[in-house]
Amino acid sequence: MASILSPNPNDPRVIRTRQLILDSFLEQLHTMDFDTITIGDITKQATINRATFYAHFPDKYALLETMFSDTFLQFVIRKVDSHINLTEEMIYELVMALCEYHDSSMTCIKKYDSVSAIMEENIKTQLEKFILKLITQEHAHADQNTLTTAATMISWAIYGVAYQWKKNNQQQSPSALAESVVPIVMGGLHILHSTQKG
């Protein structure tokens, strides 16, 4: 048991057990409302005991956040190059990836509304950090508060349009949505450029 509960996150047994818990939880979300899922449901599905679960996650809320973080990274962050600036192409790809992510998440989770608030906070936080990193690379000498504000506005805007796109039954293609968002976001970035030069 001690080897399974090893604190080393690189231990293959720890990785396998963690993935087993995540897979079990996702399977529960296919058929049950998040609010009704218990730790017992998850451990039974994963064929582990409660002590093993708690060695990996303090509660089901942390598990949900981890699940969203993992899938977000898979759908979004890995689709773009984090070592370049926030270009028109990258904004386009971020909108496209978030549309794909929202579409997939709403399809996989039975009662999406029961987890949407947690998901929204998690995604916005990750996207904001990612965008802040990009614009800081390009505007290294700019005021940090200004950069943080810009990252918040851009990340929330991109998240929001993708969320509304899915909520409104995808009334336009993801590419058309992305094309409409790019000039708006780039306009804000041009203001940042001007501010820095001034």
Side-chain angles (χ1 to χ4, degrees):
M1 183 63 66
S3 60
I4 294 176
L5 302 180
S6 168
N8 179 7
N10 298 317
D11 186 326
R13 293 164 295 186
V14 172
I15 294 170
R16 281 196 302 270
T17 302
R18 180 180 181 276
Q19 191 59 52
L20 187 63
I21 294 169
L22 285 164
D23 290 344
S24 169
F25 182 52
L26 183 57
E27 191 168 332
Q28 296 286 326
L29 285 171
H30 284 314
T31 58
M32 299 173 65
D33 188 318
F34 171 74
D35 295 330
T36 65
I37 297 174
T38 66
I39 301 302
D41 293 326
I42 299 166
T43 56
K44 182 178 180 181
Q45 180 72 33
T47 62
I48 60 171
N49 60 41
R50 294 175 73 91
T52 300
F53 175 89
Y54 287 120
H56 290 266
F57 302 99
D59 52 40
K60 69 176 185 177
Y61 295 94
L63 175 56
L64 182 66
E65 290 185 358
T66 298
M67 186 191 77
F68 283 144
S69 296
D70 287 357
T71 55
F72 179 77
L73 288 169
Q74 178 182 347
F75 272 93
V76 181
I77 302 300
R78 294 175 187 169
K79 289 180 178 288
V80 296
D81 186 347
S82 61
H83 299 293
I84 62 175
N85 298 329
L86 191 61
T87 62
E88 291 185 11
E89 181 181 357
M90 180 174 287
I91 294 166
Y92 180 91
E93 291 300 330
L94 281 171
V95 174
M96 292 285 287
L98 274 166
C99 285
E100 181 183 351
Y101 181 78
H102 279 300
D103 200 24
S104 173
S105 297
M106 290 186 181
T107 302
C108 292
I109 299 173
K110 182 182 179 184
K111 295 190 177 180
Y112 183 81
D113 289 343
S114 68
V115 298
S116 61
I118 298 172
M119 172 185 173
E120 178 177 328
E121 187 64 30
N122 184 282
I123 303 298
K124 282 180 180 176
T125 299
Q126 291 188 73
L127 190 58
E128 184 177 339
K129 288 178 181 177
F130 178 70
I131 290 174
L132 179 60
K133 177 183 176 183
L134 294 179
I135 62 176
T136 300
Q137 289 174 171
E138 186 174 4
H139 305 280
H141 301 295
D143 176 68
Q144 189 61 40
N145 289 332
T146 301
L147 292 176
T148 300
T149 299
T152 300
M153 292 178 67
I154 294 168
S155 60
W156 286 33
I158 292 174
Y159 176 88
V161 294
Y163 177 80
Q164 284 298 120
W165 167 83
K166 180 59 181 177
K167 189 176 180 181
N168 293 333
N169 299 315
Q170 308 169 9
Q171 294 181 358
Q172 62 184 143
S173 68
S175 59
L177 177 68
E179 287 172 5
S180 69
V181 170
V182 167
I184 298 171
V185 174
M186 291 306 296
L189 288 174
H190 288 318
I191 293 173
L192 183 60
H193 281 293
S194 300
T195 303
Q196 186 175 1
K197 289 176 182 178

